[in-house]
Amino acid sequence: MSTTVRSIDDPDLLPFLPFIYLAWSDGELRESEIVSICDEMSATGLDQDCRLAFDGWLNPTDPPSPNELATVLDLIRDSVAPIDGVESLDIEAFAEQLATTGRRGNELTSSEREAVRLLGRQLGLEGSEPTRAVTGRARPQNPTGTESTLDVPRLDVDALVALRDGPRQEIRQQVRALLSQPDFAHVYGLPMDEHRVRVLAQCRRLADEGIGRLGFPAQHGGAGTQSDFLGAFSVIAHHDLSLLTKFGVQFGLFGGALLRLGTESHHAELLEPMMSMALPGCFAMTETDHGSNVQALETTATFDPTTDEFVVHTPHLGAGKDYIGNAANDGHAAVVFAQLVTDGRGHGVHAFVVPIRSADGHPMPGVAIEDDGPKAGLNGVDNGRLWFDQVCIPRTNLLDRFASVAADGTYDSPIPGEGKRFFTTIGTLVGGRIGVGTASISAAETALAIAVRYGLRRRQFGPGGPSEPETVLLDYPQHQRRLMPLLATTWAYRFALEQLADDYNGERLESRVLEGQAAGLKAWASWHANRTIQECREACGGAGYLTENRLGPLKADADIFQTYEGDNTVLAQLVARGLLTNYAQQFNDLGLLGTVRFLAGRAVETVREANPIVLGGADEDELRDVENYVDLFRWREEHLVAALAARLRKRISTGTDSAVAFGEVQDHAIEAARAHVDHLVVKRFVTMVESMPEGPERDALELLCDLHALSMLEADRGWFMEHGKLSAAASKQIRKLVSVLCAEARLIARPLVDAFAIPDEILGAEALIDD
Amino acid sequence: MSTTVRSIDDPDLLPFLPFIYLAWSDGELRESEIVSICDEMSATGLDQDCRLAFDGWLNPTDPPSPNELATVLDLIRDSVAPIDGVESLDIEAFAEQLATTGRRGNELTSSEREAVRLLGRQLGLEGSEPTRAVTGRARPQNPTGTESTLDVPRLDVDALVALRDGPRQEIRQQVRALLSQPDFAHVYGLPMDEHRVRVLAQCRRLADEGIGRLGFPAQHGGAGTQSDFLGAFSVIAHHDLSLLTKFGVQFGLFGGALLRLGTESHHAELLEPMMSMALPGCFAMTETDHGSNVQALETTATFDPTTDEFVVHTPHLGAGKDYIGNAANDGHAAVVFAQLVTDGRGHGVHAFVVPIRSADGHPMPGVAIEDDGPKAGLNGVDNGRLWFDQVCIPRTNLLDRFASVAADGTYDSPIPGEGKRFFTTIGTLVGGRIGVGTASISAAETALAIAVRYGLRRRQFGPGGPSEPETVLLDYPQHQRRLMPLLATTWAYRFALEQLADDYNGERLESRVLEGQAAGLKAWASWHANRTIQECREACGGAGYLTENRLGPLKADADIFQTYEGDNTVLAQLVARGLLTNYAQQFNDLGLLGTVRFLAGRAVETVREANPIVLGGADEDELRDVENYVDLFRWREEHLVAALAARLRKRISTGTDSAVAFGEVQDHAIEAARAHVDHLVVKRFVTMVESMPEGPERDALELLCDLHALSMLEADRGWFMEHGKLSAAASKQIRKLVSVLCAEARLIARPLVDAFAIPDEILGAEALIDD
């Protein structure tokens, strides 16, 4: 820079040095702004030499060098070095201090004081922060660091685990201990073939330990209940999801079909080898061309009374079974779903046991097998395709719980209608959907346990710029907003699914209600898991993308949960159909055919009269009142079901086919289904909390329940406002409240993820969770 | 079943057979409902024998066998076999027809007619659908099959491609042709090592073809403009994203740093080997411990005047460079970001060229290299970690565009302040963010091209149950709702990013504005891509999960776009800081330090006075008026920025540090940034459409623009209602309108994805897109 009238170490310039330093040190000041500052300074009564010096230092076409700027800083710091407490002065007081300090020793003149005020205002310097920046001194006590200053409730993690595990705690603890053993240690980035071998070995190990016997009758060597099976499944789902799927295919789908579609002779012959994995099996339902439309599948099983055999046949390539777990490598038998034909007449889809590989592992004659190849995830599972070319099986291989064929070819069934028989058959497989919902929530728990623990140790940026300690991620409001509602919702779904497991085990629900809940919870739990894992991956940044940190594989594996055991969109429509049936029956004690035809305009009115609370105020207690929010969820469900019914009726009454009409209102149907699931989940959470004794654990879950419910309301606040159930003020207040609850939940986030009871050995991701 | 008073083939029973069949054939009729039907039938004047027969057939404790039910159906169908047109009768008329047909030959008695009416009502049989179900006859003409009956505009795909490609069409066509060659054929499911080898070879091939020379100065062997580079990049992003990333690391990051941070001597020495890939290089900025907080990185480069060298050193393990592309296998040099120290004083982060491997490929002395190992995606890229142990490099290896060190150790820079120097240095790398945004939209296009083409050929379920032809997926409203808004938004982002590429190339934007737009578009384009690919994967069901169908790898690969080149959440805050700076300057011609301090309450009022349109009605024209919706987006941005400013001011004026205050309002900052990006993108789309000549292509893009804007409004309609800018009626109407626009967009979905101009060879996924 050019020469200045006064040297930079002229004592009279000292009080102005902080402004010179600050003007150049920051990236935001433009040249035009500096010029403008100099202009205004000319108008003050400041000593001309001083002004000229100042102008020289602020000349935008001739900025100081970095070393000159460093000298400025040295001069300031040297002057105040012996003086305590300057860091709490604002910039004007600091300039005053500099004037009376050291070599100069005179307080500011009134013109100087005016100039200092002007500079402070123009540079926008408020409070003591600029002084700290110039002196390089930190604030005496850091006001952030939430944990140390707030009163954090101490939670009894064991009590939370017991609450969450419920009646399935014992089996869960057993499986946790088993999966923590070295045989089950995570190995990352295995090639597909090695991964499959490892998963098969681990699955056999589970069978050896009797975990595959859960849920099968004792007289055939089974142990425990279906409920225990789901408990074990929920823990395996914290581990590699390929293992979970392999286990689920063998014992849930293959074993479940033998148990629920077969009869005594099948049980006596097949359950033991299935449970021991002497007979690895497949569940061959899906076909390439028809996917979700199982009723339309094309594989046939034609009875031939001359040989007393069924002939299983794939009529064309697209009618091959596809995506069949255990098929590509390991399966020896398959439960094959096919159109039963006897006596020249088709009777719809039935299940048959078909050997697909001989004892030495080669495909049986007439059975063609192809590997599905690499997948986006679950590469430890050997999915494959199966085609049958006139494969003969004994008549007794028909799983004949719901229909039988006599030796002479006579077909019989206790269920006369083909449609009802089909849905009854399929309905017995509801356990699979409860399993996928359960596993989805476990996957969400795994992701949250990793992301929350990482968020509590990883520091990024900080209150005082690059030189001060950085802040832990979870202290950032946005990070809390990202993870805490997902944590709350994960607990909510867990309780709903545990309840469903209880109801299923105790046969406490009518089958249609059970199927509806299983379908709905499967769909929205898996969507929730997908969203949660994604958010957790992003919340762990680049580290979350490394395979060894599990979030990547977890996301890729869990993705298919949205498709298998029923595509979520198809399941959502199934839920909606169930709701319409129930809905119609509320108002009409008589039957209905195809559900939709009875739907009455009058019914819509009936529901609308049962108006709920309108949240008009912005009072926190009103918003957090469980009766209020449960009522809003109830009303939304009822309203959407009634509106769906009205839409359908309008179409059908003007001559549209019911299936076409249902297709046209598909998006409304899915909305209604979602409203049903939301309502179910919130109700269940509230009931759970209300059953707890007073104490910090109850307070914690109450907080989560509110956070879950209010963040759900927040997400759909547009709808509630459209329907006059939420005022603009209440809606805004809900948003604020959700942020407040997120901050509160952050304080107990660690015990809340510890209560998922995932041992570190199972959790993996050492690099992220290391405390 | 038990004997009945009348035999089933008694002609008097014939008119009632359809009701018997329908009562049993459907899955929804409960036993209690059947009982109730029988009871009511007793009250009719029907012949007692007939009633008893009826009761017998409807006895829930003794249902008919499937064969008996089949006989019922045979009797009905035989009776009406010779009669045309019965399928269009309603069930009462059909019963009437049966009565007068065949053996009976008498019309219904009045009691019979009453019974038929009662049964029809109780079973909820409306229209001709039940008759068609019983007769097994289809409706003469299927009223669905949208494409054939609606007037679909014919679009000129080439014109759309030209519009989309803009000034970069030539280079794009060139790269499309290149990537369609056999060298670039997709190979699915390669192990990591083989994938890396293949990607390296492909990247070299791109270099050989001169694609890596784009964007570098002609006097050093470069060719074309930065804009061409982005054009090529957008096409490579339709291919394997590992190749894209490898290419981006070499020519964008490594090459870009040499060009923009280095000076003439660096250019003369290094650009040619970089462009030819004789010198594969890395961009070593990120460190394990500091991630996004680049200013705090800990690697040092200390100048030693006695040797005229910098000593590059990693002080501890956590200060190692992490996630560095090209580091694990292939890189020979790296641009390393380190704290420059000379004369005992630190001057902040600077970039240095550091050789990391010798010509024979071994790490240089003092350089430790570790493979990052398998990742969730991008496994064709060799990411690694680098540590430096007192590595000496010549003084001239400092990339000295913004700062230099003299032989005596004197530091100099035209930018005196460290903060401003840092942000100026980083700011030159903005091209990388434009690149990632651009690539994100290409990835979304790939996914949509696959999902739309699959949705137009895959059939599932159908109008008439399992026996009739199934419906193509994209005819389902939910499927349209899933994909069409994403298609519209993808076009919207493409135009915004193309504009940004133009502005960048023509240096038409102030650097701060450019950085803000690049950061914002990178963040929201990558979030959009992630959501789009996920939705497309689900929309392709299980088939979408197979690696060979590309959606799985695409999703896994593109996931990290949200993190690399700046974590989206961090970038969003950078956008917000820029908005605050601009905002403050709107009202104050003077400067501000640290952006936030000037923020004035008065400004909030000033903005609030510029109220926008309030959408109160539900008129389609009003809602689709671009001026109206652009105005809403403008107002939301201005309002959120002003509110953010007010929040910050409140905190700072009560003594909170600016960094802490910014942390506390982080979520509001991100909302404001999103509003800015939304506004920018919508405005750009509108401008684009307005520049087009009248015609079907303009109509198509107008439709997409409306769909994009309205679906964005729909997504945030809660906020607009809260702020009184949208009435409940308008909000509801927007939802309906979005569905209508989705259905319209479905009709032109194929040309709209064809206009992404992705050759089938590049698209891959043959099994899904096969026409």
Side-chain angles (χ1 to χ4, degrees):
Chain A
M1 62 171 292
S2 56
T3 54
T4 51
V5 176
R6 283 172 193 264
S7 152
I8 190 70
D9 55 359
D10 182 327
D12 279 347
L13 216 48
L14 188 60
F16 295 99
L17 294 187
F19 301 97
I20 290 171
Y21 176 77
L22 289 167
W24 288 112
S25 70
D26 191 273
E28 300 292 346
L29 215 57
R30 302 179 184 184
E31 291 190 3
S32 62
E33 293 159 5
I34 294 180
V35 171
S36 166
I37 289 173
C38 292
D39 285 353
E40 286 209 37
M41 285 295 288
S42 321
T44 66
L46 203 64
D47 168 296
Q48 197 188 2
D49 280 2
C50 188
R51 270 199 287 111
L52 286 174
F54 203 86
D55 282 6
W57 276 88
L58 286 188
N59 182 356
T61 62
D62 183 21
S65 75
N67 281 329
E68 287 170 324
L69 208 59
T71 308
V72 168
L73 206 57
D74 288 345
L75 284 168
I76 299 168
R77 292 185 182 180
D78 288 350
S79 304
V80 296
I83 307 169
D84 285 339
V86 288
E87 64 273 11
S88 57
L89 301 176
D90 68 20
I91 200 74
E92 291 180 34
F94 183 64
E96 198 70 77
Q97 175 73 59
L98 281 172
T100 58
T101 289
R103 286 177 305 143
R104 165 162 159 158
N106 294 315
E107 60 180 32
L108 296 173
T109 67
S110 65
S111 331
E112 284 176 333
R113 202 165 283 135
E114 192 198 334
V116 159
R117 251 200 308 275
L118 178 70
L119 282 167
R121 211 178 61 238
Q122 282 177 337
L123 289 169
L125 306 175
E126 259 183 75
S128 59
E129 193 181 355
T131 309
R132 292 201 307 284
V134 172
T135 58
R137 299 190 191 177
R139 210 188 266 273
Q141 281 182 329
N142 190 334
T144 58
T146 332
E147 235 164 346
S148 55
T149 55
L150 280 175
D151 186 24
V152 183
R154 295 181 65 86
L155 296 179
D156 179 345
V157 171
D158 290 342
L160 287 172
V161 173
L163 179 81
R164 174 187 169 288
D165 280 355
R168 285 165 286 283
Q169 177 147 45
E170 198 182 321
I171 185 68
R172 283 178 154 133
Q173 300 289 31
Q174 187 190 330
V175 178
R176 281 172 196 137
L178 180 59
L179 294 181
S180 301
Q181 293 181 13
D183 286 3
F184 291 93
H186 290 287
V187 179
Y188 302 107
L190 283 177
M192 186 173 83
D193 290 347
E194 291 172 39
H195 192 185
R196 287 181 178 181
V197 169
R198 189 170 171 82
V199 163
L200 177 65
Q202 290 175 337
C203 196
R204 288 200 178 279
R205 181 74 204 284
L206 291 174
D208 292 348
E209 297 286 338
I211 308 302
R213 292 179 184 274
L214 300 172
F216 294 99
Q219 77 264 34
H220 295 296
T225 62
Q226 183 60 24
S227 156
D228 285 339
F229 180 86
L230 284 167
F233 202 68
S234 78
V235 175
I236 301 171
H238 285 138
H239 199 270
D240 182 356
L241 296 183
S242 283
L243 174 58
L244 176 95
T245 303
K246 190 86 174 172
F247 179 89
V249 166
Q250 175 70 15
F251 305 107
L253 295 178
F254 177 59
L258 295 179
L259 177 69
R260 292 192 179 75
L261 301 179
T263 50
E264 183 55 27
S265 67
H266 303 111
H267 298 169
E269 185 192 349
L270 297 170
L271 288 184
E272 178 55 39
M274 178 278 297
M275 292 184 294
S276 69
M277 277 189 77
L279 182 69
C282 311
F283 182 81
M285 179 186 269
T286 305
E287 294 183 359
T288 307
D289 276 3
H290 292 288
S292 298
N293 193 359
V294 174
Q295 219 173 346
L297 58 79
E298 296 176 87
T299 302
T300 50
T302 308
F303 184 64
D304 179 355
T306 63
T307 58
D308 203 29
E309 287 177 333
F310 284 101
V311 182
V312 180
H313 189 65
T314 310
H316 61 91
L317 208 65
K321 299 295 176 182
D322 205 342
Y323 251 107
I324 310 305
N326 247 350
N329 288 353
D330 301 327
H332 280 219
V335 170
V336 174
F337 289 78
Q339 302 287 352
L340 188 154
V341 180
T342 179
D343 244 352
R345 193 183 272 275
H347 292 276
V349 173
H350 293 67
F352 303 83
V353 178
V354 182
I356 61 166
R357 278 191 180 80
S358 58
D360 64 1
H362 289 101
M364 295 292 279
V367 178
I369 305 180
E370 184 179 71
D371 198 323
D372 270 314
K375 304 183 293 290
L378 295 185
N379 279 304
V381 182
D382 56 321
N383 291 91
R385 305 188 177 97
L386 297 172
W387 293 270
F388 303 98
D389 182 11
Q390 313 284 357
V391 172
C392 297
I393 54 169
R395 178 169 59 91
T396 51
N397 282 24
L398 167 66
L399 294 175
D400 58 354
R401 177 164 167 206
F402 297 117
S404 60
V405 172
D408 68 351
T410 308
Y411 179 87
D412 200 18
S413 167
I415 309 166
E418 193 179 308
K420 184 162 184 177
R421 199 159 58 234
F422 174 75
F423 288 108
T424 306
T425 303
I426 299 299
T428 56
L429 307 170
V430 66
R433 288 179 184 157
I434 304 178
V436 175
T438 295
S440 296
I441 295 310
S442 293
E445 288 172 345
T446 302
L448 283 165
I450 293 171
V452 164
R453 289 174 66 172
Y454 183 71
L456 288 170
R457 51 170 286 267
R458 174 74 174 178
R459 295 177 179 274
Q460 282 279 275
F461 299 101
S467 62
E468 286 192 33
E470 295 175 299
T471 305
V472 298
L473 291 182
L474 210 56
D475 276 336
Y476 286 107
Q478 176 69 9
H479 215 77
Q480 294 165 3
R481 265 275 181 182
R482 254 184 154 163
L483 298 180
M484 294 301 105
L486 296 173
L487 179 62
T489 295
T490 299
W491 275 89
Y493 271 91
R494 173 62 72 201
F495 287 135
L497 281 154
E498 291 295 302
Q499 176 72 53
L500 189 62
D502 291 345
D503 292 342
Y504 182 44
N505 193 50
E507 295 176 16
R508 282 202 293 261
L509 290 177
E510 214 190 309
S511 67
R512 180 156 54 187
V513 175
L514 185 78
E515 284 169 38
Q517 292 193 3
L521 286 173
K522 185 271 181 184
W524 274 277
S526 61
W527 271 320
H528 168 70
N530 182 276
R531 207 180 121 220
T532 300
I533 302 168
Q534 178 66 34
E535 209 56 78
C536 290
R537 201 299 288 158
E538 291 180 44
C540 294
Y545 197 61
L546 293 178
T547 301
E548 64 184 26
N549 290 329
R550 288 207 65 198
L551 294 168
L554 191 64
K555 193 158 77 79
D557 291 344
D559 182 17
I560 201 64
F561 285 6
Q562 293 162 90
T563 303
Y564 75 14
E565 292 296 301
D567 175 88
N568 280 358
T569 303
V570 175
L571 291 184
Q573 292 171 74
L574 194 142
V575 174
R577 281 177 191 271
L579 292 173
L580 287 170
T581 307
N582 292 334
Y583 170 77
Q585 283 170 354
Q586 275 182 287
F587 302 98
N588 189 333
D589 223 14
L590 281 181
L592 75 168
L593 195 85
T595 300
V596 291
R597 303 189 187 91
F598 255 109
L599 304 168
R602 67 201 146 127
V604 176
E605 296 319 310
T606 316
V607 167
R608 285 215 172 126
E609 282 163 29
N611 262 346
I613 186 89
V614 172
L615 290 180
D619 176 58
E620 181 176 330
D621 289 340
E622 186 192 349
L623 297 175
R624 289 183 70 170
D625 184 325
V626 294
E627 285 190 29
N628 287 344
Y629 62 63
V630 169
D631 203 44
L632 283 177
F633 285 108
R634 173 195 61 74
W635 186 80
R636 185 180 55 165
E637 175 183 347
E638 288 173 359
H639 178 84
L640 284 173
V641 175
L644 175 64
R647 282 196 170 84
L648 276 170
R649 181 174 175 74
K650 192 172 135 199
R651 282 169 175 77
I652 289 164
S653 64
T654 53
T656 309
D657 276 11
S658 61
V660 173
F662 206 83
E664 287 174 2
V665 298
Q666 202 190 31
D667 42 348
H668 299 282
I670 292 171
E671 249 195 300
R674 179 173 63 93
H676 171 69
V677 172
D678 280 353
H679 181 208
L680 181 76
V681 171
V682 167
K683 260 194 315 191
R684 172 65 194 142
F685 204 163
V686 167
T687 308
M688 191 73 203
V689 170
E690 283 172 354
S691 75
M692 293 174 71
E694 298 287 335
E697 291 74 34
R698 176 170 169 153
D699 295 343
L701 289 194
E702 223 160 56
L703 169 66
L704 283 191
C705 184
D706 290 352
L707 177 53
H708 165 71
L710 293 178
S711 62
M712 290 277 153
L713 281 185
E714 183 191 31
D716 209 19
R717 66 195 202 277
W719 190 92
F720 285 104
M721 278 189 277
E722 280 172 4
H723 292 80
K725 296 302 167 231
L726 212 54
S727 71
S731 178
K732 282 184 182 178
Q733 188 61 25
I734 285 174
R735 285 201 288 145
K736 281 188 200 156
L737 198 48
V738 168
S739 294
V740 170
L741 297 178
C742 283
E744 290 179 24
R746 176 254 173 271
L747 299 175
I748 50 172
R750 181 61 196 266
L752 286 174
V753 299
D754 286 347
F756 297 151
I758 313 173
D760 283 0
E761 293 84 354
I762 300 180
L763 192 56
E766 292 83 359
L768 296 187
I769 63 168
D770 191 31
D771 292 306
Chain B
M1 63 173 290
S2 56
T3 53
T4 51
V5 175
R6 285 173 192 262
S7 150
I8 191 68
D9 55 1
D10 183 326
D12 278 346
L13 215 49
L14 188 59
F16 295 98
L17 294 187
F19 302 96
I20 291 170
Y21 175 77
L22 289 167
W24 288 113
S25 70
D26 191 272
E28 300 293 344
L29 216 56
R30 300 179 186 186
E31 288 187 3
S32 61
E33 295 160 2
I34 294 179
V35 171
S36 168
I37 289 173
C38 292
D39 285 353
E40 288 210 35
M41 285 296 289
S42 321
T44 66
L46 205 63
D47 166 294
Q48 197 186 3
D49 280 1
C50 187
R51 271 198 289 114
L52 286 173
F54 203 86
D55 283 6
W57 275 89
L58 286 188
N59 182 355
T61 62
D62 183 22
S65 76
N67 281 329
E68 287 170 321
L69 211 57
T71 309
V72 168
L73 208 56
D74 288 345
L75 284 168
I76 299 169
R77 293 185 181 179
D78 288 350
S79 305
V80 295
I83 306 170
D84 285 338
V86 286
E87 62 273 13
S88 57
L89 300 176
D90 69 21
I91 201 72
E92 291 181 36
F94 183 63
E96 202 62 82
Q97 175 73 60
L98 282 170
T100 56
T101 289
R103 287 178 304 144
R104 169 162 155 157
N106 292 319
E107 61 180 33
L108 295 174
T109 68
S110 66
S111 332
E112 285 176 333
R113 203 165 283 136
E114 192 195 334
V116 159
R117 248 200 309 276
L118 179 70
L119 282 166
R121 210 178 61 239
Q122 284 177 337
L123 290 168
L125 306 175
E126 260 183 71
S128 58
E129 193 181 352
T131 310
R132 292 202 307 284
V134 172
T135 57
R137 299 191 191 176
R139 210 188 266 273
Q141 280 182 329
N142 192 335
T144 57
T146 330
E147 237 164 346
S148 55
T149 55
L150 280 174
D151 185 23
V152 183
R154 296 181 66 85
L155 296 180
D156 179 346
V157 171
D158 290 340
L160 287 172
V161 173
L163 180 81
R164 171 188 172 284
D165 281 355
R168 284 164 286 283
Q169 176 145 44
E170 197 183 321
I171 186 69
R172 283 178 154 132
Q173 299 290 31
Q174 188 189 331
V175 178
R176 280 171 196 139
L178 180 58
L179 295 180
S180 300
Q181 293 180 14
D183 285 5
F184 292 93
H186 291 287
V187 180
Y188 302 106
L190 283 178
M192 186 173 81
D193 291 345
E194 292 172 39
H195 192 184
R196 287 180 177 183
V197 169
R198 189 170 172 81
V199 163
L200 177 64
Q202 290 176 336
C203 196
R204 288 198 180 278
R205 181 75 203 285
L206 291 174
D208 293 346
E209 299 284 338
I211 309 302
R213 293 179 184 273
L214 300 173
F216 294 98
Q219 77 263 35
H220 295 297
T225 63
Q226 183 59 26
S227 156
D228 285 339
F229 179 87
L230 285 167
F233 202 67
S234 77
V235 174
I236 301 171
H238 285 138
H239 199 270
D240 183 355
L241 296 183
S242 284
L243 175 59
L244 176 94
T245 302
K246 191 86 174 173
F247 180 88
V249 166
Q250 175 70 15
F251 306 106
L253 295 178
F254 177 60
L258 295 180
L259 178 69
R260 293 191 180 74
L261 301 179
T263 50
E264 182 55 27
S265 66
H266 303 111
H267 298 169
E269 188 192 350
L270 297 169
L271 289 184
E272 177 54 38
M274 177 279 297
M275 292 184 294
S276 69
M277 275 190 82
L279 182 70
C282 310
F283 183 81
M285 179 185 269
T286 305
E287 293 183 0
T288 307
D289 276 3
H290 292 287
S292 298
N293 193 359
V294 174
Q295 220 174 346
L297 58 80
E298 295 176 87
T299 302
T300 50
T302 308
F303 183 64
D304 180 352
T306 63
T307 58
D308 203 30
E309 288 179 333
F310 284 102
V311 181
V312 179
H313 188 65
T314 309
H316 61 92
L317 209 66
K321 299 295 175 182
D322 206 343
Y323 250 109
I324 309 305
N326 247 350
N329 287 355
D330 302 326
H332 280 218
V335 170
V336 174
F337 288 79
Q339 302 286 352
L340 187 155
V341 180
T342 179
D343 244 353
R345 192 182 274 277
H347 292 277
V349 174
H350 294 66
F352 303 83
V353 178
V354 183
I356 60 165
R357 278 191 180 83
S358 59
D360 65 0
H362 289 100
M364 295 293 280
V367 179
I369 305 180
E370 185 179 73
D371 198 322
D372 270 314
K375 304 184 293 292
L378 295 186
N379 279 307
V381 182
D382 57 321
N383 291 91
R385 303 187 179 98
L386 296 171
W387 293 271
F388 303 98
D389 183 9
Q390 312 284 356
V391 172
C392 297
I393 54 168
R395 179 168 57 93
T396 51
N397 282 22
L398 167 65
L399 294 175
D400 59 352
R401 177 167 168 201
F402 296 118
S404 61
V405 171
D408 68 352
T410 308
Y411 179 87
D412 199 19
S413 167
I415 308 166
E418 193 179 308
K420 183 162 183 178
R421 199 160 56 234
F422 173 75
F423 287 110
T424 306
T425 304
I426 299 298
T428 57
L429 306 170
V430 65
R433 288 180 185 156
I434 304 177
V436 175
T438 295
S440 296
I441 295 310
S442 293
E445 288 171 346
T446 303
L448 283 165
I450 294 171
V452 164
R453 288 173 66 172
Y454 183 70
L456 287 170
R457 50 169 286 266
R458 175 73 174 181
R459 295 177 178 275
Q460 283 279 276
F461 299 101
S467 61
E468 286 194 33
E470 295 176 300
T471 304
V472 298
L473 292 182
L474 211 54
D475 276 336
Y476 286 107
Q478 177 68 8
H479 215 77
Q480 294 165 2
R481 265 273 182 184
R482 255 184 152 163
L483 298 180
M484 294 302 106
L486 296 173
L487 179 62
T489 296
T490 298
W491 274 90
Y493 271 91
R494 174 61 73 203
F495 287 135
L497 281 154
E498 291 295 301
Q499 176 73 53
L500 188 61
D502 292 345
D503 291 344
Y504 181 45
N505 194 48
E507 294 178 15
R508 282 203 292 261
L509 289 177
E510 214 190 313
S511 67
R512 179 157 55 191
V513 175
L514 185 77
E515 284 167 39
Q517 293 193 3
L521 286 173
K522 185 272 183 186
W524 274 278
S526 61
W527 270 321
H528 168 70
N530 182 276
R531 207 181 121 220
T532 300
I533 302 168
Q534 178 66 35
E535 209 55 77
C536 289
R537 202 298 288 158
E538 292 180 43
C540 293
Y545 197 62
L546 293 179
T547 301
E548 63 184 26
N549 290 329
R550 288 208 64 201
L551 294 169
L554 192 65
K555 191 157 80 81
D557 291 343
D559 183 16
I560 200 64
F561 286 5
Q562 292 162 91
T563 303
Y564 76 14
E565 291 297 302
D567 175 89
N568 280 358
T569 303
V570 175
L571 290 184
Q573 291 171 76
L574 195 140
V575 174
R577 281 176 192 271
L579 293 174
L580 288 170
T581 306
N582 292 335
Y583 170 76
Q585 286 172 349
Q586 276 183 284
F587 301 100
N588 188 332
D589 219 18
L590 281 180
L592 76 167
L593 196 88
T595 299
V596 291
R597 301 189 188 94
F598 256 107
L599 304 167
R602 67 199 146 126
V604 176
E605 296 318 310
T606 315
V607 167
R608 285 211 171 128
E609 282 162 29
N611 262 346
I613 187 89
V614 173
L615 290 180
D619 175 58
E620 181 178 329
D621 288 340
E622 186 191 350
L623 297 174
R624 290 184 70 169
D625 182 325
V626 295
E627 284 188 30
N628 287 344
Y629 60 63
V630 169
D631 203 44
L632 282 176
F633 285 109
R634 173 195 61 73
W635 186 82
R636 186 179 55 165
E637 174 184 348
E638 288 172 359
H639 179 85
L640 285 171
V641 174
L644 175 64
R647 282 196 170 85
L648 276 171
R649 181 174 175 74
K650 191 172 136 199
R651 283 170 174 77
I652 289 164
S653 64
T654 54
T656 308
D657 276 11
S658 60
V660 174
F662 205 83
E664 287 175 4
V665 298
Q666 202 188 31
D667 41 348
H668 299 283
I670 291 171
E671 248 194 300
R674 181 174 62 94
H676 170 68
V677 172
D678 280 353
H679 180 207
L680 181 76
V681 171
V682 167
K683 259 194 315 191
R684 173 66 194 139
F685 205 163
V686 168
T687 308
M688 191 73 202
V689 170
E690 284 172 353
S691 75
M692 293 175 69
E694 297 288 336
E697 291 75 34
R698 177 172 170 151
D699 294 344
L701 289 194
E702 223 161 57
L703 168 65
L704 283 192
C705 184
D706 290 352
L707 177 53
H708 164 72
L710 293 177
S711 62
M712 291 277 150
L713 280 185
E714 182 191 33
D716 208 19
R717 65 195 202 276
W719 189 91
F720 286 103
M721 277 189 276
E722 280 172 5
H723 292 80
K725 296 300 166 236
L726 212 55
S727 71
S731 177
K732 282 185 184 176
Q733 187 60 26
I734 284 174
R735 286 201 287 144
K736 279 189 202 155
L737 198 47
V738 168
S739 295
V740 170
L741 297 179
C742 284
E744 288 179 25
R746 175 256 173 271
L747 299 175
I748 50 173
R750 181 62 197 266
L752 286 173
V753 300
D754 286 346
F756 297 151
I758 313 173
D760 283 2
E761 293 84 356
I762 300 181
L763 194 56
E766 291 82 0
L768 296 187
I769 62 169
D770 191 31
D771 292 302

